[in-house]
């Protein structure tokens, strides 16, 4: 905020430090509340004085206001030298990243550059955890929890997703988002207390069936009026902006039923407590991607829970320790951090246990680290069997890649091909999309009905929305090389899509104190 010279009214000077009452000038000029003016003024001062590189990039148009706000959100609590280090690394890349991609990179960098501060901030937030409910303008209620431990919250989300998916496959007509909301309420308001998964599925589907029967009965006994669908089968739309933080939508209908709940019971796949083959007290398994070097204690780099984002190294270690029964994948990386090869290992480090059901553990291993560990095993022997198994598989990776594409004429992918695609591409290959590959569909780049092969060179993960761009929106997709995708839009734009490096360079932790020494 500048100050006008009282005697030369055309002159405005920029101050060297924030003006104490500058925000009051804003609230008078723009008819803002005091809090709104102070927040806006504080944001502007942070950009100018604390994040000058971000302010300079915004001023010349290298980044837009939304990306400047993302930088501020992650960096404004940090020390000046940390801000400068992260901005130097990420500002040159920000122009080609979406705000979501930029936010994920910044979150990882913030954790990596000062792990101790990140851990203290996390622990402080957990102590302030709470549940909040508030009324929306449309009369509905938003129920949210904040400050939850990342591993337990991820397990809760996975539990709701798995249960909703099973209900959808049993024939429930609502969208997956709607079913998730109903399941969440049923679990919290005790409607589903002491029910098995089968019973929950039965009561959810029977509610819809009874509602439809009642609607048909009422319609037959009353004069003809416009039919009102059962509320549980209709999307809950809003005429105004959504209150609260933005979230990624999951409202696309799930895939058609593959088997009914009764079939699942007959095969013994369902158990009490609402989980699959799951005794009481075990959490739903979580997918987590973590560096092997982090698990070996060589660094404290953040891990990633797909769909949520970066989490602390301690959280990842805890998840890995409790998910012995999960599917364990290894992903080998070339020197630039991109996918080189991947597979699964049935070996486990000693000391792990089975406190969770399901889940995916992905070990990220640079090829040079694997070579080092093969020739110079770590001092502790907990991981020896895992390292030996991964190294043995990698020696035959060329043949394994040929085997993955061997059944190219079949309509549906094999499990090995789907896993390979998920590990290679990480997320939906649509422009800027971050939906996890494990939650996306296997898509034939060159459609199968037009004689496209079912291979790694003609497949990729695509979410429902981006798949519809191809089939209904007139967009065209090519894959000139495995994992490299080119989209052509109806208006003539071309978008090149290749997964971000799985491991991006992270800043080295600064172990110096934030304040200079007194001598």
């Amino acid at each position: 905020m500048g100050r006008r010279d009282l005697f030369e009214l055309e002159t405005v000077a920029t101050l060297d430090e924030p003006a104490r009452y500058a925000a009051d000038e804003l609230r008078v000029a723009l008819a803002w509340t005091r809090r709104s003016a102070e927040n806006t003024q504080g944001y502007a001062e942070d950009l100018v004085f604390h994040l000058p590189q971000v302010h300079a990039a915004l001023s010349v148009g290298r980044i837009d206001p939304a990306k400047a706000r993302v930088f501020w959100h992650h960096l404004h609590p940090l020390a000046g030298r940390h801000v400068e280090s992260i901005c130097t690394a990420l500002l040159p890349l920000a122009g080609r990243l979406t705000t979501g991609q930029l936010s994920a990179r910044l979150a990882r960098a913030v954790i990596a550059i000062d792990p101790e501060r990140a851990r203290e901030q996390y622990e402080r937030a957990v102590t302030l955890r709470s549940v909040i409910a508030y009324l929306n303008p449309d009369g509905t209620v938003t129920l949210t929890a904040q400050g939850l431990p990342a591993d337990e919250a991820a397990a809760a989300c996975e539990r709701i997703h798995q249960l909703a998916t099973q209900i959808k496959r049993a024939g429930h007509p609502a969208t997956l988002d709607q079913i998730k909301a109903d399941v969440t309420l049923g679990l919290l308001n005790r409607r589903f207390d002491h029910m098995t998964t089968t019973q929950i599925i039965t009561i959810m589907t029977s509610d819809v069936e009874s509602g439809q029967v009642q609607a048909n009965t009422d319609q037959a006994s009353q004069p003809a009026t416009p039919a009102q669908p059962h509320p549980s089968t209709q999307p809950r739309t809003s005429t105004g902006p959504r209150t609260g933080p933005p979230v990624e939508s999951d409202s696309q209908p799930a895939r058609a039923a593959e088997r009914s709940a009764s079939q699942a019971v007959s095969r013994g796949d369902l158990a009490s407590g609402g989980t699959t083959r799951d005794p009481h007290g075990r959490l739903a398994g979580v997918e987590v991607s973590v560096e092997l070097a982090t698990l070996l204690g060589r660094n404290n780099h953040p891990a990633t829970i797909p769909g949520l984002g970066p989490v602390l190294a301690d959280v990842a270690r805890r998840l890995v320790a409790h998910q012995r029964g999960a599917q364990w994948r290894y992903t080998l990386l070339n020197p630039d951090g991109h996918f080189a090869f991947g597979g699964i290992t049935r070996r486990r480090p000693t000391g792990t246990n089975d406190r969770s059901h399901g889940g995916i553990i992905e070990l990220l291993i640079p090829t040079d680290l694997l070579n080092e560990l093969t020739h110079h095993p770590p001092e502790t022997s907990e991981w020896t069997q895992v390292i030996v198994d991964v190294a043995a598989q990698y020696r035959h990776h060329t043949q394994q890649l040929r085997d993955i594409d061997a059944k190219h004429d079949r309509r549906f992918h094999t499990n090995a091909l789907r896993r390979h695609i998920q590990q290679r591409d990480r997320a939906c290959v649509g422009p800027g999309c971050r939906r996890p590959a494990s939650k996306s569909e296997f898509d034939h780049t060159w459609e199968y009905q037009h004689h496209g092969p079912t291979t790694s060179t003609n497949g990729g993960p695509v979410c429902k929305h981006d798949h519809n761009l191809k089939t209904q929106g007139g967009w065209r997709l090519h894959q000139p090389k495995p994992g490299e995708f080119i989209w052509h839009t109806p208006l003539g734009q071309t978008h090149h899509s290749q997964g971000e490096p799985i491991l991006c360079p992270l800043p080295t932790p600064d172990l110096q104190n934030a304040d200079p020494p007194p001598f």
Side-chain angles (χ1 to χ4, degrees), residues 288 290-298 316-324 328-330 345 347-352 361-365 369-370 373-374 376-391:
V288 60
V290 57
E291 296 179 40
L292 177 60
T294 302
L295 299 177
L296 292 174
R298 295 190 172 198
R317 293 181 184 119
R318 188 161 57 245
L319 281 170
V320 171
H322 296 334
Q323 294 194 161
R324 183 180 182 86
W328 283 51
R329 301 177 176 181
Y330 64 88
T345 176
R347 304 298 183 184
R348 299 291 185 268
T350 58
T352 54
I361 302 296
E362 182 185 36
L363 306 176
L364 303 178
I365 312 173
L369 176 61
L370 179 62
L373 294 175
T374 301
H376 305 284
E379 296 180 0
T380 56
S381 60
E382 288 89 346
W383 288 88
T384 300
Q385 291 187 359
V386 176
I387 295 168
V388 170
D389 183 44
V390 172

Side-chain angles (χ1 to χ4, degrees), residues 244-493:
V247 296
E248 291 189 9
S249 175
D250 192 19
S251 56
Q252 295 290 350
R255 185 175 296 178
E258 297 179 6
R259 56 179 180 149
S260 67
S262 58
Q263 291 173 324
V265 174
S266 66
R267 292 175 56 173
D269 289 346
L270 301 178
S272 62
T275 54
T276 309
R277 295 188 184 277
D278 186 12
H280 295 289
R282 296 171 69 191
L283 301 177
V286 174
E287 182 179 356
V288 60
S289 179
V290 57
E291 296 179 40
L292 177 60
T294 302
L295 299 177
L296 292 174
R298 295 190 172 198
N299 62 47
N300 282 309
H301 289 174
T304 299
I305 297 179
L308 289 181
V311 296
L312 300 179
D314 287 343
V315 173
R317 293 181 184 119
R318 188 161 57 245
L319 281 170
V320 171
H322 296 334
Q323 294 194 161
R324 183 180 182 86
Q327 181 186 91
W328 283 51
R329 301 177 176 181
Y330 64 88
T331 298
L332 300 178
L333 310 170
N334 58 28
D336 64 3
H338 280 97
F339 175 83
F341 180 70
I344 59 175
T345 176
R346 291 181 172 81
R347 304 298 183 184
R348 299 291 185 268
T350 58
T352 54
N353 57 55
D354 247 348
R355 296 187 187 177
S356 301
H357 166 77
I360 297 174
I361 302 296
E362 182 185 36
L363 306 176
L364 303 178
I365 312 173
T367 52
D368 56 355
L369 176 61
L370 179 62
N371 183 62
E372 175 193 338
L373 294 175
T374 301
H375 294 87
H376 305 284
E379 296 180 0
T380 56
S381 60
E382 288 89 346
W383 288 88
T384 300
Q385 291 187 359
V386 176
I387 295 168
V388 170
D389 183 44
V390 172
Q393 293 189 48
Y394 185 49
R395 284 195 292 269
H396 305 286
H397 73 280
T398 303
Q399 181 59 47
Q400 292 189 49
L401 289 174
R402 284 196 293 264
D403 292 343
I404 287 174
D405 289 338
K407 301 179 180 180
H408 59 86
D409 56 345
R410 61 181 292 162
R411 172 66 179 87
F412 297 105
H413 57 77
T414 62
N415 289 337
L417 175 57
R418 178 170 174 80
R419 183 177 62 248
H420 175 82
I421 292 297
Q422 290 176 355
Q423 291 179 265
R424 182 191 72 189
D425 298 324
R426 319 301 293 173
C428 168
V429 300
C433 187
R434 297 176 58 238
R435 186 171 181 82
S438 59
K439 300 291 193 299
S440 302
E441 300 176 0
F442 180 91
D443 175 74
H444 288 81
T445 307
W446 180 15
E447 296 294 345
Y448 180 80
Q449 58 265 35
H450 299 308
H451 309 291
T454 305
T455 62
S456 61
T457 59
N458 188 53
V462 178
C463 71
K464 186 71 172 180
H465 174 85
D466 290 330
H467 183 268
N468 289 341
L469 288 180
K470 286 180 55 186
T471 58
Q472 302 175 18
W475 291 49
R476 292 180 293 114
L477 177 62
H478 301 284
Q479 188 177 175
K481 296 180 181 179
E484 295 183 12
F485 299 86
I486 301 177
W487 292 82
H488 300 280
T489 77
L491 295 182
Q493 297 188 82

Side-chain angles (χ1 to χ4, degrees), residues 104-141:
R105 289 233 190 167
L106 284 167
R108 286 181 56 84
V110 167
I111 294 174
I113 203 167
D114 194 348
E116 186 62 24
R117 187 204 68 87
R119 184 184 61 79
E120 292 175 355
Q121 177 179 266
Y122 174 85
E123 292 176 350
R124 183 166 57 252
V126 170
T127 63
L128 299 175
R129 60 193 179 276
S130 62
V131 175
I132 302 169
Y134 55 87
L135 192 67
N136 297 313
D138 59 10
T140 62
V141 170

